[in-house]
Structures are given as C-alpha cells and as structure tokens.
Amino acid sequence: GEKGRFTAALVAFVINYACYFSEIYRGGIESIPRGQYEAAQVLGMTKWQIFFHVVLMQVVRKIMAPMSNEVITLVKDTALARVIMIVEIIQAAQNFAAYGLMWPLFYTAVFYLIFVGALTLLFGFFERKLSYYKV
C-alpha cells in the first residue's frame, strides 16, 4: 500500500546517496600516496593507527569539496521527495497555493536559498580551515 511505497522510495533515496558518498570516500582514500603508508609503517604504527592518524586526516581534507557538493545536492533533492510521497516543505507550500496564496511558495524558495547559501558558506569555511596553504 501507501506505506510500503513510501518505505521503498525512502530506501532507494538513502541507497542512492550512500553510493555517492561511499565513492567519494573511496576516491579520497585511494588518493593518499603509498609513501604515507610506508612512512607510518617505518614509525611502527599499526594498520588502524595509520588509517585514523595519517590517512583519515588527509582524506577529510581532500573530500571536503565533493562532500559539500553532495550535501547541498541532497538538500535540493528533498524537493524531489514530493514525487515519492514524502511530505516536505514544497508540498506544504503548494497546499496553501491551492487556496490562491502564492506567498508560501515564495517563502519556500527564500528558505531554500538561505539554507543552501548557509551550507555553502559553512563548507567554504571548512575548506579554508583545512587548506594546505593559508591565504
């Protein structure tokens, strides 16, 4: 029924973004030069220590830009959730628009603009904070 269709759509949405995020992490981990692993081994670090103390810190720095893009895209894609029957902000605004009120749709657009703008500024701050070269 309706609940089963909602659950299936939500699971598909989650799996889709999990695949994107896992690819970003995989690419970030594979981008770490082999010499980093070898240098940590020479220092006598275990595999777990190498990963958490050497690799992960560099991966976070390298994947910040693609992760921020995906998070912002995820926020925008919530508008598509209406199609898969998840009640969300645009659907609520359209309910008001049915009564001839267009302001809720305008406020919804402003909300998305401010929210995505804030996320962009936040991730830009994190990218600058994690940058190799401070400007």
Side-chain angles (χ1 to χ4, degrees):
E2 187 72 25
K3 189 173 182 177
R5 191 169 61 136
F6 168 79
T7 303
L10 186 62
V11 167
F13 206 72
V14 169
I15 289 172
N16 179 50
Y17 273 93
C19 291
Y20 280 116
F21 288 131
S22 66
E23 267 305 297
I24 290 170
Y25 276 97
R26 184 200 56 77
I29 291 169
E30 287 184 359
S31 73
I32 304 301
R34 188 80 200 132
Q36 296 289 312
Y37 293 95
E38 293 168 356
Q41 287 174 339
V42 167
L43 293 173
M45 298 175 88
T46 66
K47 284 185 178 185
W48 288 104
Q49 288 174 326
I50 293 170
F51 182 76
F52 286 107
H53 296 289
V54 177
V55 175
L56 191 58
M57 298 299 119
Q58 296 177 62
V59 167
V60 168
R61 182 178 295 130
K62 288 184 177 203
I63 67 168
M64 185 57 67
M67 284 297 289
S68 63
N69 287 339
E70 283 304 315
V71 169
I72 290 170
T73 302
L74 178 61
V75 169
K76 292 179 193 176
D77 281 352
T78 59
L80 298 175
R82 179 177 59 89
V83 176
I84 58 174
M85 301 307 295
I86 300 173
V87 177
E88 50 85 45
I89 192 168
I90 289 181
Q91 186 174 358
Q94 282 180 333
N95 290 341
F96 284 107
Y99 297 109
L101 300 172
M102 293 308 291
W103 286 108
L105 284 173
F106 173 76
Y107 290 134
T108 300
V110 170
F111 170 78
Y112 273 109
L113 181 66
I114 291 171
F115 191 64
V116 169
L119 281 174
T120 302
L121 292 174
L122 180 70
F123 284 119
F125 169 77
F126 286 143
E127 286 179 41
R128 283 189 306 279
K129 198 80 166 152
L130 294 172
S131 176
Y132 288 116
Y133 308 103
K134 303 287 182 198
V135 283

